[in-house]
């Protein structure tokens, strides 16, 4: 059975997504949509990570329910840099790059949840099926947000 | 003190359910003027709030000398509020802008129209050549007339082809529009003010109607004074006059409205107070909503909102047992955290109970500004004209047909850019010209220090069109003097879809021109043309602009084709849609559960309430194949800024009864200025005692973004919350300093609701220091 391995990979990809969301928020302090929402959306992923670690125990996987994401000090330094960067035209291009990374990371997570959902159905693991449904719905909303924000910002950034 | 300052709602005329609200004609004429002196009365309506009180302006000797309510108008039945009675005096102020101004060597100097317009047109052409239309943005008002918004929308979207068009109605009304779109697929108020005459329960969610719509509140007071009065539910952290008349008053902590609403819906559902037939026949999404609110018990919400669970149950019982439920919503919800999600739950409440489309069963997602509805329907406020859907190619193509353009001439790659995003583009330098009409962002937007620094940037070419010098005109490169209400002709539409005609009673002062003439002049100088080579803007005056708009609105929900200036002059207000089939207008939308939500007709496919991400057309069709009303739930999340050790209080801000917007007009009306000349801060009695604050002590209220100094008023606000009336700027400060410690928006946070993009004015965390006791001084 390789479901544990898949859970380990999902744990990694959700952690990475949370990290990317937090980084984007820090880097784009002047872009309030990103700054405020990225924290809310990252919190979904950190909650998923915790739930994955809990369920993975049944598959003999010892995963960290609260992996370290960032220290507050580094975060403050990034925000300072963001304040300076906020007035520069390059900020827009950087935003597109960050959103692209978030979108791709979220798409990876989405694929991983598909796999888990298929596996969980095979072994009739009801709590895992329930988690996969709930978390995948939130994950799709994260992905759609990054996609929408990309679309909304792209024209202005690319044409000016 | 003047009688109507002390008694803002006037004398009672009680009436019972289903009866007609009695007439009461209010008037005010300048000292020494009698009715016999009045040479003519010119019909109009108030533009100092969204109620739309109809009135006649009295003219003598070429000047406005007073006002009189219109007895037969459906909106006010003759009544006028204090702002209606006294506000017109601002028109006659001696400090109106009367000549165009242009910046030379760092100073604004008087110039003529040709010089001013040439400068604007030259800069426009340069930017179009060098950077394209994305370098130009427009920010308008809730004060102009329909004809002006429509012209602005056409010239910006179709002429310059920029996507950056918004109105300051973003600050007051964006959530109203978005909440209606989310639930019904289209903007447009379902209910009518006449629902007050029939309702047995009136629930006011974050709506201090006594201050914001005094005449509508006197309608409720008259019901309360009559036989079989309605029960009133009030949701507001302050003990307002509405709260004093409430059967149940809920005072949630600011930023927690959605948690409260979810608990109310939870109660309605678990107690079986739902109208199952209505839900089955006319709605989609019920099961998801029921699942969403299942864990949201009154106890759960009580913890978050810090209100007693028993009170939530009591309020739920009142709305759950109503026979005719009228729900109204305003800034307490719109300017707060999770604004759209919370406002949508009010729609859900009425939908769950089947309370829509019948007398007394209404929803009024209110407007803050008098002509907000027109910015929305004309496409000057983040929408496309005629409530057309920017993400539907067919609807954009239809708009292009009306304008004689190709679909690709109208930018629709994303929704029109909201003001906060436009500011971001100015900040990073990609918008280089910004044209502000009839509003004062240097006082009304959040986090003023940031706004000042953005608007003062050297690389920005700022055009400001207004009637008075303001904090914003100070920063402009060109200032255009505008005519205002009663100096120009046009129409405008209030919060319950009532269209009023407004006549030209007097001439504008000096060289001031109507906003319509300014926009027409700009379009002519740019020589904007359609695909056939004809002028894109082919109209030349208000009447021909109105006719052009009627064609644009034809067949859309806001259909104006049955209206005319003559009819409106004679009859007073008429509600849209008004067509050949409905020549008297439409009192209530969505009668018999018929909605504007079909996929090929709706104004929007909706958004995720929490992330703001738009739904795709295919997804919408799958969710709502038959164009029904839509239940949409959302989970509560904490606000972006919560009280901490450093900033232990929540700041909420709002309007007072006696002032409008940034007080440019109301502070120039002597009675209104005397009634509310200075900012103050309201603190609760327990907090005052704990902090050792006595009435009148000077307090410093500080957020991470700035500070305000204001004398204390100890009042019925909930503990842990302080209130500042907002939009006190510094143009009329009498102090020596720069006055930057007077505007509530020095403190507010740059953050907005992801769905409506309305800024959060009501959830900043602040500290409070007693300067009187600390030995500080004014």
């Amino acid at each position: 059975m390789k479901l544990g391995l898949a859970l380990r990979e999902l744990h990694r990809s959700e952690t990475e997504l949370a990290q990317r969301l937090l980084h984007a928020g820090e880097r784009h302090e002047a872009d309030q949509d990103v700054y405020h929402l990225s924290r809310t959306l990252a919190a979904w992923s950190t909650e998923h990570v915790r739930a994955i670690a809990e369920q993975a125990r049944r598959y003999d996987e010892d995963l960290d329910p609260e992996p370290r994401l960032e220290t507050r000090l580094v975060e403050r330094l990034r925000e300072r840099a963001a304040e300076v960067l906020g007035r520069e035209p390059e900020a827009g291009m950087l935003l597109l790059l960050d959103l692209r990374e978030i979108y791709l990371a979220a798409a990876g997570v989405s694929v991983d949840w598909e796999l888990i959902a298929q596996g969980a159905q095979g072994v009739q693991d009801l709590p895992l099926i329930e988690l996969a449904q709930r978390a995948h719905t939130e994950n799709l909303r994260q992905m759609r947000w990054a996609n929408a924000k990309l679309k909304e910002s792209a024209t202005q950034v690319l044409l000016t | 003190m003047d009688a109507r300052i002390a008694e803002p709602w006037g004398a009672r005329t009680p009436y019972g359910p289903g009866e007609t609200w009695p007439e009461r004609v209010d008037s005010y004429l300048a000292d020494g003027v009698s009715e016999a002196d009045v040479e003519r009365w010119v019909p109009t309506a108030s533009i100092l709030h969204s109620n739309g009180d109809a009135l006649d302006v009295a003219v003598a000797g070429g000047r406005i000398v007073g006002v009189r309510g219109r007895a037969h108008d459906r909106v006010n039945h003759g009544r006028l509020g204090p702002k209606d009675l006294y506000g017109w005096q601002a028109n006659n102020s001696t400090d109106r802008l009367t000549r165009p101004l242009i910046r030379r060597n760092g100073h604004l100097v008087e110039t003529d129209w040709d010089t001013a317009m040439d400068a604007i047109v030259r800069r426009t052409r340069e930017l179009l050549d060098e950077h394209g239309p994305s370098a130009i943005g427009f920010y308008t008002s809730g004060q102009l007339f329909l004809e002006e918004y429509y012209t602005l929308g056409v010239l910006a979207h179709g002429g310059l082809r920029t996507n950056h068009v918004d109105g300051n109605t973003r600050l007051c009304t964006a959530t109203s529009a978005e909440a209606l779109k989310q639930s019904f697929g289209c903007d447009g108020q379902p209910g009518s003010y006449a629902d007050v005459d029939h309702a047995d329960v009136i629930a006011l969610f974050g709506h201090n109607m006594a201050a914001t719509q005094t005449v509508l509140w006197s309608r409720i007071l008259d019901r309360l004074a009559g036989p079989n009065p309605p029960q009133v539910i009030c949701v507001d952290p302050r003990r307002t006059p509405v709260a004093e008349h409430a059967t149940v008053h809920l005072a949630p902590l600011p930023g927690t409205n959605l948690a409260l609403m979810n608990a109310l819906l939870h109660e309605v559902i678990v107690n079986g107070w739902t109208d199952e037939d209505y839900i089955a026949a006319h709605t989609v999404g019920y099961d998801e909503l029921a699942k969403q609110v299942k864990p949201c018990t009154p106890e759960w919400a009580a913890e978050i909102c810090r209100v007693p669970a028993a009170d939530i149950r009591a309020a739920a019982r009142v709305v759950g047992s109503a026979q005719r439920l009228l729900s109204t919503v305003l800034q307490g919800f719109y300017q707060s955290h999770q604004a759209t999600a919370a406002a949508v739950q009010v729609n859900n409440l009425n939908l769950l109970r089947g309370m829509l489309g019948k007398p007394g069963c209404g929803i009024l997602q209110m407007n803050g500004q008098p002509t907000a509805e027109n910015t929305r329907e004309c496409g000057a406020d983040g929408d496309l004209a005629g409530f057309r859907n920017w993400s539907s190619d067919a609807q954009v193509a239809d708009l292009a047909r009306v304008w004689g353009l190709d679909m690709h001439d109208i930018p629709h790659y994303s929704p029109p850019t909201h003001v906060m995003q436009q500011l971001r583009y100015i900040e990073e330098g990609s918008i280089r010209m910004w044209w502000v009409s009839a509003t004062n962002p240097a006082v009304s937007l959040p986090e003023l220090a940031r706004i000042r620094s953005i608007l003062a940037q050297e690389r920005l070419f700022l055009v400001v069109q207004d009637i008075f010098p303001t904090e914003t005109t100070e920063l402009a490169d060109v200032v255009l003097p505008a005519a205002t209400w009663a100096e120009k002709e046009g129409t405008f539409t209030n919060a319950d879809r009532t269209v009023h005609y407004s006549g030209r009673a007097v001439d504008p002062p000096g060289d001031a021109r109507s906003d319509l003439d300014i926009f027409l002049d700009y379009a002519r100088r740019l020589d904007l043309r359609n695909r056939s080579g004809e002028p894109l803007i082919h109209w030349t005056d208000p009447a021909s602009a109105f006719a052009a708009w009627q064609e644009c609105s034809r067949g859309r929900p806001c259909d104006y084709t049955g209206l005319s200036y003559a009819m409106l002059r004679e009859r007073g207000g008429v509600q849209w849609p008004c067509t050949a089939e409905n020549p008297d207008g439409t009192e209530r939308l969505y009668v018999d559960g018929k909605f504007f939500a079909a996929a090929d007709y709706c104004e929007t496919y909706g958004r995720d309430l929490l992330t703001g991400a738009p739904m795709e057309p295919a997804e919408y069709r799958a969710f709502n194949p038959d164009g029904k009303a839509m239940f949409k739930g959302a989970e509560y999340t904490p606000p972006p800024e919560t009280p901490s050790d450093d900033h232990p209080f929540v700041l909420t801000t709002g309007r007072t009864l006696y002032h409008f917007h940034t007080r440019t007009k109301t502070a120039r009306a002597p009675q209104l200025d005397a009634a509310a000349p200075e900012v103050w801060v309201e603190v609760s009695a327990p907090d005052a005692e704990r902090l050792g604050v006595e009435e009148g002590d000077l307090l410093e209220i500080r957020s991470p973004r700035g500070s305000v100094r204001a004398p204390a008023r100890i009042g019925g606000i909930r503990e842990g919350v302080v209130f500042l009336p907002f939009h006190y700027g510094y143009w009329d400060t009498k102090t020596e300093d720069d006055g930057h410690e007077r505007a509530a928006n020095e403190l507010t946070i740059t953050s907005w609701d992801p769905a409506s993009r309305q800024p959060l004015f009501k959830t900043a965390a602040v500290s409070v220091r007693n300067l009187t006791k600390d030995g500080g001084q004014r």
Side-chain angles (χ1 to χ4, degrees), chain A residues 32-33 87 141 144 152 156, chain B residues 164 453 608 619 750 752:
Chain A
Q32 299 298 322
D33 245 354
R87 283 276 159 101
R141 290 168 76 191
R144 209 168 281 163
E152 193 183 292
Q156 185 75 10
Chain B
H164 308 321
S453 82
D608 187 313
E619 198 183 352
T750 301
W752 54 82

Side-chain angles (χ1 to χ4, degrees), chain B residues 651-652 678-684 693 695-701 708-715 721-725 768:
Chain B
L651 170 72
T652 186
E678 283 291 340
V679 69
W680 78 91
V681 57
E682 183 176 321
V683 292
S684 73
V693 170
E695 185 84 12
D697 282 359
L698 185 68
L699 306 187
E700 179 193 71
I701 305 94
V708 166
R709 293 167 177 224
R713 285 191 191 174
I714 299 168
V721 182
V722 296
F723 170 86
L724 279 174
V768 175

Side-chain angles (χ1 to χ4, degrees), chain B residues 277-292:
Chain B
D277 293 341
Y278 189 90
I279 293 169
H282 303 301
T283 70
V284 294
Y286 172 77
D287 290 343
E288 275 301 305
L289 178 74
K291 200 169 131 195
Q292 182 91 56

Side-chain angles (χ1 to χ4, degrees), chain B residues 146-175:
Chain B
L146 177 152
E147 293 78 358
E148 296 165 332
Y149 291 128
Y150 182 58
T151 303
L152 174 62
V154 178
L155 86 81
H157 286 297
L160 299 182
R161 299 167 192 184
T162 175
N163 205 29
H164 308 321
V165 185
D166 202 7
N168 71 8
T169 45
R170 177 71 50 191
L171 317 179
C172 71
T173 298
T175 302

Side-chain angles (χ1 to χ4, degrees), chain B residues 141-348:
Chain B
S141 176
Q143 285 279 286
L144 303 189
F145 291 170
L146 177 152
E147 293 78 358
E148 296 165 332
Y149 291 128
Y150 182 58
T151 303
L152 174 62
V154 178
L155 86 81
H157 286 297
L160 299 182
R161 299 167 192 184
T162 175
N163 205 29
H164 308 321
V165 185
D166 202 7
N168 71 8
T169 45
R170 177 71 50 191
L171 317 179
C172 71
T173 298
T175 302
S176 165
E178 190 62 32
L180 294 169
K181 291 186 223 177
Q182 291 282 349
S183 298
F184 309 116
C186 187
D187 196 350
Q189 214 60 251
S192 164
Y193 287 167
D195 286 328
V196 170
D197 307 347
H198 304 277
D200 68 334
V201 173
I202 303 176
L204 297 104
F205 297 95
H207 185 186
N208 183 8
M209 190 191 285
T212 55
Q213 286 140 308
T214 54
V215 166
L216 190 59
W217 179 242
S218 52
R219 197 165 185 159
I220 292 182
L221 287 177
D222 286 349
R223 277 292 317 276
L224 291 170
N228 301 316
Q231 289 184 284
V232 172
I233 300 291
C234 172
V235 177
D236 197 317
R238 300 174 68 204
R239 196 169 64 225
T240 62
V242 176
E244 282 161 15
H245 286 87
T247 312
V248 184
H249 172 209
L250 301 169
L253 201 64
T256 68
N257 293 325
L258 180 61
L260 181 74
M261 289 311 301
N262 280 349
L264 285 176
L265 298 187
H266 168 99
E267 282 293 288
V268 167
I269 290 174
V270 298
N271 287 296
W273 292 323
T274 52
D275 182 338
E276 288 172 18
D277 293 341
Y278 189 90
I279 293 169
H282 303 301
T283 70
V284 294
Y286 172 77
D287 290 343
E288 275 301 305
L289 178 74
K291 200 169 131 195
Q292 182 91 56
V293 301
K294 194 156 188 246
C296 304
T297 61
E299 282 71 22
W300 168 82
E303 193 76 19
I304 294 166
C305 308
R306 297 196 224 153
V307 295
D311 288 359
I312 300 176
R313 287 213 159 77
R317 197 172 308 115
V318 173
V319 295
S321 56
Q323 302 297 306
R324 290 173 302 281
L325 170 66
L326 171 62
S327 298
T328 83
V329 195
L330 197 61
Q331 309 306 2
F333 274 40
Y334 299 166
Q335 294 178 340
S336 193
H337 177 56
Q338 297 194 287
T340 307
V344 160
Q345 303 319 308
V346 177
N347 296 342
N348 287 345

Side-chain angles (χ1 to χ4, degrees), chain A residues 152 156, chain B residues 134-140 156-157 162-168 170 380-382 415-436 445 450-451 454-455 457 460 752:
Chain A
E152 193 183 292
Q156 185 75 10
Chain B
S134 300
I136 301 170
F138 293 88
Y139 182 48
T140 188
H157 286 297
T162 175
N163 205 29
H164 308 321
V165 185
D166 202 7
N168 71 8
R170 177 71 50 191
D381 183 16
T417 318
H418 61 99
V419 63
M420 300 304 287
Q421 187 64 48
Q422 289 193 40
L423 282 164
R424 178 73 196 111
Y425 290 154
I426 297 170
E427 187 172 36
E428 66 172 21
S430 66
I431 287 182
R432 295 296 181 100
M433 170 174 156
W434 209 43
W435 188 326
V436 176
L445 290 176
R450 172 175 181 257
I451 301 302
I454 292 175
L455 296 185
Q457 286 181 107
L460 175 70
W752 54 82

